[in-house]
Amino acid sequence: MGFTRFVSAVSALLFFTHFSHAQALSEKEAELFALINTYRAEKNLPPVPFSPALTEVAQIHAKDLSEHNPDKADRCNMHSWSKKGKWTPCCYTRDHAEAACMWKKPSELTDYTGDGFEIAFNTTGIPEPEDALKRWKGSPGHHNVIINAGTWKNTEWKAMGVGISGGYVLVWFGREEDPAAAAE
């Protein structure tokens, strides 16, 4: 086991030990949550608190993507939502014309009142958390979201949720604290 994977495993174990809601996360979801916060710490950034609501949105969306493939429709990308759920469907295009549809999903699906901002990764194989993070580090737009740079430099993430289903790996960030996290 490499050092980074060891640190990630220890972080995930500590996460499970200290938070009762961690059972809602799969082992890989908990590992990705820990990896992102470990990476932020390497950049002298504070950890982003766990959000049950944003995790619920991430898990629902990952399942929608893996089961209904709205990202395979003409012009739609992984931020798209199908017509096969209790949500407003949308086709998220490169021009970001439907960005608000994605941003509003947390308040549409949960009690989270703020907007959510998603980063997504897809693989044909079994998704590994470190592969997703490596890909996001290599993508300036996604990397900026993770480390609050560029457009996001004046943003403080106060909530993060993770979802993995099929080959889809999603992380949602929010500017507002999750009231559900405070209640636990």
Side-chain angles (χ1 to χ4, degrees), residues 100-124:
C101 178
M102 185 263 292
W103 296 339
K104 300 295 180 198
K105 286 299 181 261
S107 61
E108 182 179 341
L109 297 171
T110 70
D111 291 336
Y112 189 81
T113 57
D115 288 344
F117 303 92
E118 176 185 64
I119 58 174
F121 168 76
N122 180 274
T123 183
T124 56

Side-chain angles (χ1 to χ4, degrees), residues 32 121 128-139 143:
L32 181 57
F121 168 76
E128 294 297 333
E130 55 276 342
D131 292 338
L133 183 57
K134 181 180 178 181
R135 178 77 59 91
W136 291 325
K137 285 179 180 180
S139 167
H143 189 241

Side-chain angles (χ1 to χ4, degrees), residues 57-73 76-82 87 90 92 118-122 163-172:
V57 174
Q59 291 171 342
I60 289 169
H61 194 211
K63 187 174 181 183
D64 181 45
L65 286 164
S66 67
E67 292 180 1
H68 305 296
N69 304 112
D71 59 321
K72 305 296 186 227
C76 302
N77 67 27
M78 284 188 277
H79 302 305
S80 300
W81 290 71
S82 78
W87 52 75
C90 67
Y92 195 108
E118 176 185 64
I119 58 174
F121 168 76
N122 180 274
I164 299 174
S165 182
Y168 292 91
V169 180
L170 308 175
V171 178
W172 282 72

Side-chain angles (χ1 to χ4, degrees), residues 33 37 40 47-55 106 112 114-117 145 155-162 171-179 181:
F33 179 86
N37 275 328
R40 286 177 57 84
V48 182
F50 176 78
S51 167
L54 293 182
T55 293
Y112 189 81
D115 288 344
F117 303 92
V145 172
T155 301
E156 178 185 354
W157 296 131
K158 295 183 180 176
M160 179 173 53
V162 181
V171 178
W172 282 72
F173 294 91
R175 293 182 193 130
E176 289 76 28
E177 292 179 11
D178 183 348

